[in-house]
Amino acid sequence: MAAGGRPAGPMPDLGRYVVSRPIYSEPAFQEENEKRAQLQPTLRDRVQRACSCSRKKAFQITKSFFPILEWLPKYRVKEWLISDIISGVSTGLVATLQGLAFALLVAVPLGYGLYSAFFPLLTYFFLGTSRHLSAGPFPVVSLMVGSVVLTMAPDEKFHIMSSNATGLNKTLIDTASRDAQRVVIASTLTFLVGIIQLVFGALQIGFIVRYLADPLIGGFTTAAAFQVFVSQLKIVLNVSTKNYNGILSIIYTLIEIFQRIGTTNIADLIAGLLTIFVCMVVKEINDRFKHKIPVPIPIEVIVTIVATGISYGADLEKKYNAGIVKTIPRGFLPPEPPAVSMFSEMIAAGFSIAVVAYAIAVSVAKVYATKHDYPIDGNQEFIAFGISNVFAGAFSCFVATTALSRTAVQESTGGKTQVASIISAGIVLIAIVALGKLLEPLQKSVLAAVVIANLKGMFMQVFDVPRLWRQNKVDAMIWIFTFVASIILGLDLGLLAGLVFGLLTVVVRVVEPEGVKILRFSSPIFYANIDGLKSSLKSTVGFDAVRVHNKRLKALRIIQKLIKKGKLKATKNGIISDSGTTNEAFEPYEDLDDPEDLKIPTKEVEIQVDWNSELPVKVNVPRVPIHSLIFDFGGVSFLDVVAVRTMRMIVKEFERIDVSVYIASHQDNIITKLEQCGFFDDNIRKDMVFLTVHDAVLYIQHEMMHRDLQDPIFEKVRTMYHLFFCIIQ
């Protein structure tokens, strides 16, 4: 012992730990660890448990469906009410203005934006699990809805002929019929999106948002911000263009804007530019001094009031032909049923809008839930927004999610619960029934400018790309690919393309040892996606195993014929061509009858070939750069009979071209299914299945080292080394 009672010698490294265990294949692990039989409940037990009901269980189910029953009884009136009132008034003013502005994106009369800012708040108050989320329209989702609206109801469908005083016919647009049809389309789409979200919530598939990775969402929302900017640019300039949709629509719109830029209305342009400048400057002040300013300056509201007063006092519409709001209807419209006949035309867009709207809402909700330490139920959020959109769709609204800026206002002004949302709904209600008339002189360019000013946060996401590139180049590529695809293909197809690209990158993210390929398939494998597995396999390994096998057979037949004709000579250590050059790639399985006779072999020769070396025959045999293939089944929860049959075929195809196949990170039910379907036999043994990918890789490395030690060329090198060593001695 050293002085002070400490043991002598070096101190152990307490910052590391080492785990030493055998390499576990499935049989080896089962041999050491007895599997505990789990008693599976019968169908009768499951039904009985599901159908049983008690007072406590009924109350729990009711509370899960109506989260308000959880938080409202605990509401601290004295501590929270004043904060919620202040927050609700501030948020309500912003929601009123954003409702009007986002209606421009949907291409419906502006008054319907107020309805869309009001009705979703009522249902989310009872059903939502976020205490700070402000339900309502959002620019990206509004633009996606507007894309459907403009596709199904373009201006060209509402042309009417009109005769002027000179007797000449003039083509006009029946704006009343057009606007009425567009409102029906937007509300029907909203109803459909609500149904889709309800189904997703009922099926408990809130996990779907996990597949929308942050880089994908970043690239998509940045592209959407650019689309929103272009759509509002023509309103700021007051330049009329055709309504383009689909592939390259944004490019066509920009081209036409610049072609007609000479028709710009100067009054609208000046009002728009001033609004953008003032809003962005004040928003920057709000951000920089948010700890010193108790309530953010509601600059959008201030600008709107000032701009409305100037437009009314200067009579900008008559004097400068400025585009103004003109008419905002008072009160509410009666509920209308959706046009179900339109569902078939908008179902694809409905799915993408439902998922995007949900992803945006849940992402924002989780930020504030984490900050204030309370849980968010993803499946309940699907139900909450589903019911909100079904309800809102009946009252001629467009799709609801949340706006980042509106939710930020609700939280930063002291909002504690959804009581703030109800108060903000009251402010919107006042605007609908009383104040709408006062906003009629407001220039549309001011509203468009407010939308553009609110895009700053999404545009700033561009600066995430260099950071992503330094941290993970694959994530950066997902961001860039999704952005470009969304710009070129449109938002719906761009999102789908980005999602597929992101899933494909999962396959290539694994760091693989030389000669080993690891394929991860992150979903159940069954008859519907088995072709996807085959395609992923070919793209991962870089060759078609069947084609390689057929080419090798052809080469072997030619080699055997040349050996019989004496043009090639087989020996233990290779094949000697008639020119005398030796190809070390070939090794006979067995000795020739007379090794000394090198003229013509006495029987047909079976040969083992290193197919990656140069062949003595002119046959283009694809090279196989791997010796082992590992299927990482960590994300596979289910296999059907077709999948098992296909996996068995894949194993045989690769084994016959000398590529060993392994399965790793499987769940117990996968092994059970493989056994039930007769996957294993004398050739496909159970010891090809490993506990983890790391176990499989270690086993492969061990096998490769053992094979190298027994390789004939290695033996020759080792013999020469020993001979050289003896001479020196």
Side-chain angles (χ1 to χ4, degrees), residues 481-664:
F481 181 89
T482 306
F483 174 81
V484 174
S486 299
I487 290 291
I488 295 175
L489 303 177
L491 295 180
D492 47 358
L493 292 177
L495 176 65
L496 178 62
L499 180 60
V500 172
F501 181 78
L503 291 175
L504 288 177
T505 60
V506 175
V507 175
V508 298
R509 286 186 187 228
V510 181
V511 179
E512 301 158 335
E514 185 179 355
V516 179
K517 280 292 180 184
I518 303 172
L519 176 62
R520 179 176 176 84
F521 205 74
S522 302
S523 72
I525 305 176
F526 58 107
Y527 68 92
N529 66 355
I530 199 68
D531 289 335
L533 173 66
K534 293 178 182 177
S535 299
S536 297
L537 177 59
K538 287 181 183 178
S539 63
T540 300
V541 299
F543 58 84
D544 184 334
V546 175
R547 182 171 178 269
V548 170
H549 177 66
N550 292 337
K551 288 286 188 179
R552 287 185 178 183
L553 287 180
K554 182 179 179 181
L556 280 173
R557 284 194 293 267
I558 295 174
I559 291 170
Q560 289 176 346
K561 286 180 181 178
L562 293 175
I563 290 175
K564 286 183 178 180
K565 292 179 180 179
K567 294 183 178 181
L568 289 178
K569 300 173 185 179
T571 69
K572 272 188 176 182
N573 300 322
I575 288 181
I576 302 175
S577 67
D578 53 4
S579 62
T581 59
T582 302
N583 186 311
E584 296 288 349
F586 298 88
E587 181 69 15
Y589 276 123
E590 55 185 11
D591 290 344
L592 297 176
D593 288 343
D594 187 3
E596 299 296 325
D597 184 5
L598 298 180
K599 293 181 180 179
I600 299 177
T602 57
K603 69 174 185 176
E604 185 174 337
V605 180
E606 293 183 356
I607 48 179
Q608 182 179 9
V609 182
D610 178 2
W611 293 101
N612 289 324
S613 65
E614 185 178 352
L615 301 180
V617 293
K618 294 181 179 179
V619 178
N620 184 20
V621 180
R623 298 208 169 191
V624 178
I626 64 171
H627 51 71
S628 303
L629 172 65
I630 301 174
F631 284 95
D632 181 356
F633 274 11
V636 178
S637 58
F638 169 75
L639 290 173
D640 71 354
V641 177
V642 177
V644 174
R645 191 184 305 130
T646 303
M647 282 297 303
R648 182 177 173 82
M649 181 180 66
I650 288 172
V651 171
K652 289 186 174 181
E653 289 173 355
F654 276 84
E655 291 285 355
R656 68 187 183 184
I657 61 170
D658 303 320
V659 176
S660 302
V661 181
Y662 305 93
I663 296 174

Side-chain angles (χ1 to χ4, degrees), residues 316-424:
L316 295 179
E317 182 192 17
K318 289 184 179 179
K319 291 183 178 179
Y320 301 100
N321 198 28
I324 64 171
V325 173
K326 288 187 179 178
T327 304
I328 297 179
R330 282 189 178 185
F332 295 97
L333 298 175
E336 294 285 343
V340 179
S341 59
M342 295 181 179
F343 280 2
S344 59
E345 299 180 63
M346 54 179 64
I347 185 69
F351 270 104
S352 58
I353 293 171
V355 173
V356 171
Y358 169 78
I360 291 169
V362 170
S363 299
V364 175
K366 283 185 175 179
V367 169
Y368 292 104
T370 303
K371 181 177 180 180
H372 295 278
D373 193 24
Y374 62 86
I376 291 291
D377 185 340
N379 291 310
Q380 179 60 25
E381 288 297 298
F382 251 138
I383 293 173
F385 278 103
I387 293 178
S388 295
N389 281 316
V390 168
F391 178 62
F395 286 93
S396 304
C397 303
F398 47 87
V399 177
T401 172
T402 188
L404 283 70
S405 57
R406 193 169 60 246
T407 300
V409 168
Q410 181 162 314
E411 190 270 343
S412 62
T413 52
K416 304 297 183 184
T417 65
Q418 282 297 319
V419 170
S421 290
I422 283 295
I423 294 170
S424 68

Side-chain angles (χ1 to χ4, degrees), residues 102-119:
F102 297 159
L104 293 173
L105 298 172
V106 186
V108 296
L110 301 187
Y112 293 91
L114 294 178
Y115 301 154
S116 303
F118 173 73
F119 285 104

